[in-house]
Amino acid sequence: TVTTPASTDTTPAADTTPASTNTTPAANSNGGSPSGAAIDPNAASIVTNAQTARGFNQVDGSPKDPTTTFKTGDQIYIVFKLNNEKVDYTTQKIYVNAELYINNTIVSKSDPLTIDKPRVGGYFAGSSSTTGQGATEIYLCYKSDCSDAKLAQVVNFTVQN
């Protein structure tokens, strides 16, 4: 079972983007994203630096204990940054959502996060009782139902026993 409760950082802070071993766009074994969607360059310029970790720092938006390998039942955090210079929050909101895949099968889809003011970033979290190759697709939307979703990031990881 995989769950993806969502959260966003509520404290804007200086950019403290950490080095990442699995930033966008990450290739999957089928040559791209599990869904087959292509990375949208505009979306990727707003939702940036996605990576997996064991936690999320609420103060500076950084991942805690970045890793790409998890055990079944572990909480998996998919942490991302936001490039606020690309969004005019006085005239629009943006929404970010995620789809979690294990072995190229979608197992969970998050509710969209509403971003209506500058934020450092946010995260999605879930766990898996199934082993295999995992991936999370992160989408940028301008409509609250994400019917206009554009793929921004793909983050790959592994779930082991």
Side-chain angles (χ1 to χ4, degrees):
T1 304
V2 178
T3 59
T4 54
S7 177
T8 59
D9 176 1
T10 59
T11 308
D15 185 17
T16 56
T17 305
S20 174
T21 57
N22 61 335
T23 58
T24 229
N28 194 297
S29 60
N30 68 4
S33 65
S35 68
I39 298 279
D40 179 85
N42 182 60
S45 74
I46 295 170
V47 179
T48 66
N49 299 87
Q51 66 184 95
T52 53
R54 297 192 190 285
F56 175 77
N57 185 317
Q58 291 283 343
V59 176
D60 68 9
S62 65
K64 290 182 181 178
D65 193 12
T67 184
T68 59
T69 304
F70 299 89
K71 292 185 178 183
T72 54
D74 282 357
Q75 193 74 352
I76 303 166
Y77 287 80
I78 299 89
V79 180
F80 61 90
K81 295 286 189 175
L82 291 169
N83 181 356
N84 293 300
E85 294 176 7
K86 299 262 185 177
V87 181
D88 181 1
Y89 293 104
T90 63
T91 62
Q92 68 183 14
K93 295 178 186 179
I94 60 172
Y95 304 87
V96 180
N97 77 341
E99 294 180 357
L100 183 65
Y101 291 79
I102 301 292
N103 299 321
N104 285 322
T105 300
I106 189 167
V107 293
S108 182
K109 184 174 181 176
S110 73
D111 290 330
L113 301 174
T114 302
I115 314 290
D116 58 1
K117 62 183 176 182
R119 298 181 186 275
V120 173
Y123 71 92
F124 296 96
S127 63
S128 177
S129 59
T130 303
T131 61
Q133 295 303 306
T136 299
E137 296 182 352
I138 302 175
Y139 290 87
L140 173 70
C141 317
Y142 294 95
K143 295 181 179 179
S144 63
D145 65 357
C146 281
S147 60
D148 62 342
K150 300 292 183 190
L151 182 60
Q153 301 276 314
V154 177
V155 183
N156 294 305
F157 57 92
T158 302
V159 178
Q160 303 173 335
N161 281 325

